[in-house]
Amino acid sequence: MNDSATVPDGYEISADPARIDAARVHHWLSTDAYWALGRTREKQDAAIAGSVNFGVYEAGSGEQVAYARVVTDRATFAWLCDVYVSPDVRGRGLGVALVDAVCTHLEPYGVRRTLLATADAHGVYEKLGFKALDAPENWMARGTQ
């Protein structure tokens, strides 16, 4: 999956679920991600199991430094969520490279719409073609907002 020129030198992106460091991902999200604070390990493991998962890894050590997952039917719809870059490597373009890799991965399926929610990273996602909903009043949610 490292065929994108946007992946910074020294890093690789993979959708291999066996490479996900589930304990690390849980720690990141449950302690530092505003949308997942307090998420249990059991809940995170279930989310990983039910999703297409992506990791960014240091090329030499294989250490995971970023994560994203997609909930999708692989036909019409995808929800990009839990995008997280370790504070130690932020500012190197890894978040943009990761989301670009996710979008590239979804292209062959012909997914019509990929959604996400963010409180603070609109500029990052806009670089990759995401935009505010044209008619947000048409969308509804059930549960905690």
Side-chain angles (χ1 to χ4, degrees):
M1 176 167 283
N2 234 17
D3 54 348
S4 175
T6 62
V7 180
D9 287 341
Y11 297 94
E12 57 190 14
I13 298 174
S14 175
D16 180 354
R19 293 188 71 184
I20 299 298
D21 184 338
R24 179 174 290 199
V25 169
H26 173 256
H27 175 75
W28 283 337
L29 297 178
S30 68
T31 64
D32 191 41
Y34 66 84
W35 65 89
L37 293 174
R39 185 182 289 170
T40 67
R41 176 68 192 266
E42 178 181 67
K43 185 70 76 175
Q44 184 60 47
D45 286 349
I48 289 171
S51 302
V52 180
N53 299 275
F54 298 82
V56 178
Y57 305 90
E58 289 183 348
S61 69
E63 180 181 349
Q64 187 169 355
V65 297
Y67 174 74
R69 69 184 180 92
V70 177
V71 180
T72 183
D73 60 9
R74 292 183 174 93
T76 63
F77 181 81
W79 176 263
L80 174 61
C81 51
D82 288 346
V83 178
Y84 185 90
V85 177
S86 174
D88 299 340
V89 296
R90 288 182 187 161
R92 299 180 190 182
L94 294 173
V96 171
L98 177 57
V99 174
D100 183 48
V102 169
C103 293
T104 299
H105 182 88
L106 292 172
E107 283 176 7
Y109 300 115
V111 171
R112 183 172 164 228
R113 178 175 291 120
T114 301
L115 293 179
L116 62 84
T118 184
D120 59 357
H122 296 81
V124 172
Y125 296 109
E126 287 168 351
K127 291 178 187 176
L128 296 160
F130 287 86
K131 62 179 185 157
L133 294 173
D134 290 334
E137 67 277 5
N138 292 347
W139 293 85
M140 298 178 74
R142 181 172 183 254
T144 312
Q145 294 188 30

